[in-house]
Amino acid sequence: MSDKVTHLTDATFDEVIAGSAEPVLVDFWAEWCGPCKTVAPILDELAEEQDGKLKITKMNVDENPTTPLKYQVQSIPTMLLFKDGELTKTVVGAKPKAALVAELGL
Amino acid sequence: MPELHDVVIVGSGPAGLTAAIYTARASLNPLVLEGEPSSTGDQPGGQLMLTTDVENFPGFPDGIMGPELMVNFRDQAVRFGAKMETVKASRVDVSERPFKVWVGDPDAAEPTYLAKTLIISTGAKALMLELPNETRLIGHGVSTCATCDGFFFRDQDIAVIGGGDSALEEATFLTKFASSVTIVHRRDELRASKIMQDRAMANEKIVFKWNSEVAEIVGEEKVEGLVLTDTKTGERSELAVTGMFVAIGHRPNTDLFVDQLDMKDNGYLITKSPSAATSVAGVFACGDVQDDTFRQAITAAGSGCAAAIDAERWLEANEH
């Protein structure tokens, strides 16, 4: 995994989202989710390519029940994009890199 | 000029990756177009990426997680030199040799790859109900992946649509989380195997709604319920559920080969059993794309091995 990807927890989520100068992408995932594994390398690549422009983060839904509930995550992978602390985009399901980049408007 | 390969394998489930292992070990340097990420079975690793415990794959007495098994398959293929590309074929032309494969723009003048032999292992994908709200509510109560999403339906009432093995398997799995699972089936008996039926019938959380079809998915932001139609009386009823998992069968991923390779009426490729040969010499098919009978990981792997050996022998016979 790229060292530019940050792991979020229920405890750190608000602070990271509110305190980030650049937009933040949060990928909700779990160990038992096959499609999450296929998305992981794409997010690693994006973390390198978008360094300084977009912060890529991940949250393990097994270990962090509160945040997924708050954002009504009912499927993983789900990716949420926050700009200036506001949720601006929700992407549900694994996608090819080009489709993900297009949906996120990167 | 596009690169010319001895073997191009399209698809990377158990069939494609077994073919990759065998052709790589035969020094044929296979190129595997493994597909693109998605939350359906049509993705690198295939349908096993959407399963949890695989209990019937020989060699794993304690079972193994589907995604882990597929990572192992892939590692084994790579170890012997198979080249993996995380792309999806957009067009294939088998009208002349070498065969042509496009990735990306299917209308591009020049193909992306040329292949002396082609092994097709594009698999099958799960059918959806094709109802108006269905796609919009994916991720909000409609699920294409029980193993991905079951977790989020803890203590909720949900429905599984279908009556085959995969429906009962999903329903049984989902009882780990949900307070109740209603199996909605359009007939009054199940297609599923005896062992799966026994398991489901014995499960207190599973209830059956016989002779019923989903007419409508209710909900704006998320699934709030289903409107069912009785297939005998036409009577409509409501089922209050917050989740719907569809397991009504599969369709082979053969769109790329229409009018090029012989298919059965249901779209599955025809192979000349016991060989994996298709109607075009040098093109072989393995796994679920040509199997509407067994559809097991182990039979897919077995047919992948057959396709690899067929391709190897065909190259030997036609190279010189």
Side-chain angles (χ1 to χ4, degrees):
Chain A
M1 197 179 91
S2 165
D3 59 8
K4 296 194 172 67
V5 176
T6 319
H7 277 276
L8 300 187
T9 66
D10 282 338
T12 62
F13 181 84
D14 285 342
E15 195 188 322
V16 172
I17 299 297
S20 175
E22 66 239 34
V24 185
L25 184 74
V26 187
D27 170 39
F28 292 89
W29 71 285
E31 198 54 56
W32 35 260
C33 162
C36 297
K37 288 188 200 300
T38 62
V39 166
I42 296 176
L43 294 177
D44 282 348
E45 284 174 31
L46 285 179
E48 297 291 334
E49 291 164 18
Q50 302 280 326
D51 190 25
K53 286 182 281 182
L54 173 69
K55 190 196 281 287
I56 306 276
T57 67
K58 299 175 81 134
M59 180 177 274
N60 184 319
V61 299
D62 264 333
E63 293 159 9
N64 301 285
T66 313
T67 312
L69 199 64
K70 182 178 167 193
Y71 290 96
Q72 301 192 345
V73 172
Q74 283 194 308
S75 174
I76 51 172
T78 282
M79 285 154 271
L80 304 182
L81 182 66
F82 292 88
K83 281 184 185 158
D84 303 321
E86 299 289 321
L87 176 65
T88 59
K89 183 85 202 168
T90 303
V91 179
V92 176
K95 309 225 147 93
K97 188 176 174 186
L100 184 63
V101 165
E103 269 205 52
L104 293 172
L106 300 177
Chain B
M1 271 297 280
E3 301 164 57
L4 175 64
H5 295 265
D6 283 333
V7 181
V8 171
I9 299 170
V10 189
S12 64
L17 291 178
T18 301
I21 291 167
Y22 271 77
T23 49
R25 285 175 57 84
S27 303
L28 295 172
N29 306 310
L31 171 70
V32 183
L33 309 183
E34 64 175 348
E36 290 179 332
S38 89
S39 285
T40 71
D42 187 9
Q43 61 164 305
Q47 296 173 68
L48 281 187
M49 294 301 282
L50 305 187
T51 64
T52 50
D53 287 312
V54 179
E55 294 179 330
N56 55 9
F57 201 89
F60 297 92
D62 302 320
I64 182 168
M65 301 295 270
E68 194 187 336
L69 179 63
M70 294 323 297
V71 168
N72 290 350
F73 265 75
R74 190 181 189 277
D75 287 349
Q76 195 171 349
V78 169
R79 180 184 151 207
F80 293 111
K83 193 173 166 219
M84 316 296 293
E85 292 283 354
T86 312
V87 296
K88 212 169 164 174
S90 55
R91 182 180 155 202
V92 167
D93 180 357
V94 296
S95 61
E96 55 178 11
R97 299 206 292 258
F99 307 120
K100 303 185 187 78
V101 180
W102 280 259
V103 165
D105 179 10
D107 299 320
E110 196 150 89
T112 319
Y113 304 107
L114 297 174
K116 292 182 193 170
T117 63
L118 200 58
I119 295 180
I120 298 164
S121 51
T122 46
K125 70 173 153 217
L127 294 168
M128 298 294 287
L129 295 171
E130 310 296 337
L131 289 171
N133 279 341
E134 195 177 24
T135 311
R136 189 170 58 80
L137 291 173
I138 285 177
H140 307 286
V142 174
S143 176
T144 60
C145 174
T147 55
C148 306
D149 305 344
F151 176 84
F152 300 100
F153 294 87
R154 206 173 284 279
D155 304 325
Q156 298 183 36
D157 297 311
I158 60 177
V160 170
I161 321 301
D165 268 343
S166 38
L168 297 201
E169 229 169 276
E170 279 195 9
T172 306
F173 168 76
L174 289 165
T175 58
K176 289 207 284 191
F177 310 102
S179 46
S180 80
V181 178
T182 303
I183 294 179
V184 178
H185 186 43
R186 61 180 171 184
R187 296 191 296 149
D188 58 7
E189 57 182 6
L190 299 162
R191 286 189 315 273
S193 62
K194 179 91 172 48
I195 182 170
M196 287 312 303
Q197 289 201 31
D198 290 347
R199 218 182 264 188
M201 301 279 186
N203 193 316
E204 288 174 359
K205 285 186 175 179
I206 294 180
V207 286
F208 289 89
K209 191 89 185 158
W210 304 107
N211 299 315
S212 300
E213 271 180 341
V214 182
E216 205 181 307
I217 304 165
V218 185
E220 279 306 311
E221 300 292 312
K222 56 184 183 174
V223 173
E224 286 159 11
L226 303 176
V227 176
L228 304 181
T229 312
D230 188 301
T231 52
K232 292 229 159 98
T233 64
E235 205 174 302
R236 284 161 81 92
S237 63
E238 281 214 28
L239 182 66
V241 289
T242 51
M244 180 184 83
F245 295 78
V246 182
I248 53 170
H250 292 85
R251 191 172 77 84
N253 295 316
T254 49
D255 291 353
L256 289 177
F257 315 107
V258 171
D259 297 331
Q260 301 196 73
L261 297 174
D262 288 353
M263 294 176 190
K264 296 186 191 176
D265 289 342
N266 58 10
Y268 284 80
L269 294 181
I270 296 172
T271 49
K272 295 165 184 160
S273 178
S275 138
T278 66
S279 52
V280 171
V283 179
F284 305 91
C286 50
D288 282 13
V289 74
Q290 51 85 53
D291 176 10
D292 57 355
T293 309
F294 306 111
R295 299 180 172 123
Q296 301 298 302
I298 188 68
T299 49
S303 68
C305 167
I309 294 174
D310 279 343
E312 186 186 352
R313 291 183 180 159
W314 191 87
L315 281 168
E316 276 168 15
N318 290 273
E319 283 280 73
H320 305 291

